[in-house]
């Protein structure tokens, strides 16, 4: 049984009918199976005599996620980048200015900027993007400053109790990330991003480690990773290739926006990986991709493809050209290399 399957054999048929009737009475017509799972799990937690604290965690998490989902829903089609960094960075620092300028550049290109809504780098990014292009997901702590004045009273702000639900929303909605020097929290967020990419638990996205001009914060970390972690064999030599370490706001902006120049999205159809593009590659370009990325393939070759049946059923980006391949699952962390090559194709720059 899959961990996503919710057994109902401990519920009576009458209870199951009651759940279905409740869903119908609420006027819910879409995703009824998923709603049923949520309600069934709630009842089962009560039947399991679950500890009160565990129930409070579950209840608060569900409420927080609902609030955050509702906050982000109106901006589903707007590209978003999350900027991480220290709450302790002062407004007169070069790092503060870098975060401000990076956010401003993204906002000018139509990107919304998501932050943790606190002071320091988070306030710098909100100031740079401006209130209309800022979204804040703050954390409620007894000893930290409240949400910054740029986003604190804005309807595009939600406060959360738990770090794990907050981090989910800071990562889930964005398709680009900039990390500015920070403390344990910033490093935690940055390493989780890399872990999600390395393990294939998240789709490829651009990740930039942005320092102040001449700064060595991220370069020192990069040296440690290359000189200590790689020789120890705990990460692969190409794991750092998936991110950009820079002290240039212009380079950071170009990396975020440029990642989506030709590449649009991906979808799994059984064992086949479908990559949707903005420009149709030529025969010569397909041949070059096959030659360069044969190591990614489990079998077959990279080829142009028409929308697959599940894509047609869901009306999923049917107007876009696509390529498909049977990916070696152990190489999923290297997909970013293929995306970069797709963005560099001459057909994408014609």
């Amino acid at each position: 049984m899959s961990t996503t399957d919710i057994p109902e054999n401990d519920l009576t048929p009458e209870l199951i009918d009651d759940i279905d009737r409740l869903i119908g009475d609420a006027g819910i017509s879409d995703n009824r199976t998923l709603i049923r799972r949520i309600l069934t799990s709630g009842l089962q937690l009560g039947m399991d005599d679950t500890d009160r604290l565990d129930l409070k965690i579950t209840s608060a998490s569900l409420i927080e996620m609902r609030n955050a989902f509702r906050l982000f829903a109106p901006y589903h089609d707007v590209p978003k980048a999350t900027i991480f960094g220290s709450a302790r960075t002062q407004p007169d620092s070069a790092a503060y200015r870098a975060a401000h300028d990076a956010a401003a550049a993204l906002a000018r290109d139509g990107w919304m900027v998501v932050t943790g809504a606190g002071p320091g780098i988070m306030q710098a990014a909100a100031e740079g993007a401006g209130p209309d292009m800022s979204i804040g997901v703050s954390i409620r702590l007894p000893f930290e400053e409240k949400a910054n004045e740029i986003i604190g009273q804005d309807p595009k702000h939600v406060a959360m109790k738990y770090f794990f639900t907050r981090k989910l929303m800071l990562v889930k909605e964005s398709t680009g990330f900039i990390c500015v020097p920070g403390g344990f929290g910033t490093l935690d967020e940055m390493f989780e991003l890399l872990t999600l990419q390395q393990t294939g638990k998240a789709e490829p996205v651009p990740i930039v480690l942005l320092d102040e001009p001449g700064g060595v914060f991220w370069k020192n970390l990069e040296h440690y990773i290359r000189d200590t972690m790689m020789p120890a064999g705990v990460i692969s030599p190409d794991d750092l290739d998936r991110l950009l370490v820079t002290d240039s706001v212009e380079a950071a902006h170009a990396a975020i926006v440029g990642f989506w120049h030709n590449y649009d999205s991906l979808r799994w159809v059984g064992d086949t990986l479908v990559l949707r593009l903005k420009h149709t590659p030529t025969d010569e370009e397909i041949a070059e991709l096959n030659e360069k990325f044969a190591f990614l393939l489990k079998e077959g070759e990279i080829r142009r493809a028409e929308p697959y049946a599940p894509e047609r059923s869901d009306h999923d980006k049917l107007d876009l050209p696509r390529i498909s391949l049977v990916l070696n699952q152990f190489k999923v962390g290297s997909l970013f290399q293929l995306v970069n090559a797709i963005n560099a194709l001459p057909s994408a720059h014609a």
Side-chain angles (χ1 to χ4, degrees), residues 190-202 207 242:
M190 183 270 294
F191 277 120
E192 176 148 342
L193 287 173
L194 293 182
T195 301
L196 292 171
Q197 293 293 304
Q198 181 192 56
T199 57
K201 294 294 287 183
I207 302 170
R242 73 187 74 252

Side-chain angles (χ1 to χ4, degrees), residues 97-99 101-102 105 178 208-215 218-219 244-256:
R97 174 53 57 182
D101 292 350
I178 296 178
V208 178
L209 307 187
L210 176 62
D211 215 324
E212 63 184 59
W218 293 121
K219 285 190 176 295
L244 172 67
V245 179
T246 183
D247 62 358
S248 165
V249 168
E250 292 75 16
H253 167 263
I256 298 294

Side-chain angles (χ1 to χ4, degrees), residues 22-344:
L22 179 62
I23 293 173
D25 290 345
I28 298 170
S29 57
D30 296 332
N31 301 309
R32 290 173 61 100
T33 300
L34 293 173
I35 300 300
R36 184 183 188 183
R37 287 180 180 179
I38 294 171
L39 295 176
T40 298
S41 295
L43 287 178
Q44 290 170 324
L45 282 168
M47 296 167 65
D48 292 342
D49 195 27
T50 305
D51 181 80
R52 178 175 174 80
L53 176 60
D54 292 342
L55 291 174
K56 290 177 69 175
I57 292 173
T58 303
S59 173
S61 301
L62 195 59
I63 292 170
E64 290 190 346
M65 285 190 288
R66 186 208 177 204
N67 290 339
F69 293 154
R70 294 176 72 191
L71 167 67
F72 279 95
Y75 312 104
H76 175 73
D77 294 327
V78 181
K80 290 175 282 292
T82 295
I83 296 182
F84 294 116
S86 175
R88 303 182 184 187
T89 303
Q90 296 301 306
D92 59 353
S93 72
Y96 192 101
R97 174 53 57 182
H100 174 284
D101 292 350
L106 288 167
R108 285 193 296 270
D109 273 346
W111 285 65
M112 299 190 80
V113 173
V114 184
T115 73
I121 293 300
M122 293 170 279
Q123 179 163 334
E127 288 175 351
D132 291 343
M133 300 300 284
S134 294
I135 296 179
V137 186
S138 63
I139 189 75
R140 294 194 294 271
L141 294 174
F143 53 85
E144 287 282 356
E145 297 181 52
K146 299 185 183 300
N148 66 66
E149 60 186 19
I150 305 299
I151 198 68
Q153 302 304 316
D154 194 289
K156 300 190 301 302
H157 165 247
V158 63
M160 311 192 89
K161 179 178 181 179
Y162 297 117
F163 275 109
F164 71 89
T165 51
R166 179 191 188 223
K167 189 188 300 182
L168 170 66
M169 299 313 304
L170 288 171
V171 171
K172 171 184 175 293
E173 297 290 337
S174 289
T175 54
F177 298 89
I178 296 178
C179 302
V180 185
F184 293 147
T186 301
L187 294 178
D188 171 58
E189 290 152 348
M190 183 270 294
F191 277 120
E192 176 148 342
L193 287 173
L194 293 182
T195 301
L196 292 171
Q197 293 293 304
Q198 181 192 56
T199 57
K201 294 294 287 183
E203 295 184 10
V205 290
I207 302 170
V208 178
L209 307 187
L210 176 62
D211 215 324
E212 63 184 59
V216 295
F217 185 95
W218 293 121
K219 285 190 176 295
N220 286 340
L221 177 63
E222 181 182 13
H223 291 323
Y224 172 77
I225 293 172
R226 293 193 185 280
D227 297 343
T228 302
M229 296 179 71
M230 284 185 184
V234 295
I235 63 171
S236 300
D238 64 351
D239 278 338
L240 280 185
D241 294 345
R242 73 187 74 252
L243 54 81
L244 172 67
V245 179
T246 183
D247 62 358
S248 165
V249 168
E250 292 75 16
H253 167 263
I256 298 294
V257 176
F259 189 87
W260 304 100
H261 173 74
N262 190 23
Y263 170 71
D264 179 85
S265 56
L266 62 76
R267 176 166 177 169
W268 289 95
V269 180
D271 293 333
T272 299
L273 176 63
V274 183
L275 301 178
R276 281 81 70 100
L277 316 180
K278 297 181 176 71
H279 304 274
T280 302
T282 66
D283 290 343
E284 293 78 10
E285 289 170 343
I286 292 292
E288 290 174 5
L289 291 176
N290 273 295
E291 182 178 353
K292 185 174 182 180
F293 295 102
F295 73 96
L296 288 180
L297 304 178
K298 180 180 179 181
E299 60 184 51
E301 61 182 9
I302 299 171
R303 63 184 183 87
R304 280 193 298 270
E306 295 297 319
Y308 286 74
E311 295 179 294
R312 292 195 300 270
S313 177
D314 295 339
H315 304 286
D316 189 4
K317 299 180 181 288
L318 301 183
D319 58 321
L320 294 180
R322 57 229 318 120
I323 60 175
S324 66
L325 61 148
V326 180
L327 180 72
N328 180 342
Q329 294 287 347
F330 292 102
K331 300 294 185 179
V332 68
S334 297
L335 265 180
F336 70 97
Q337 297 179 23
L338 177 56
V339 171
N340 287 338
I342 287 170
N343 287 322

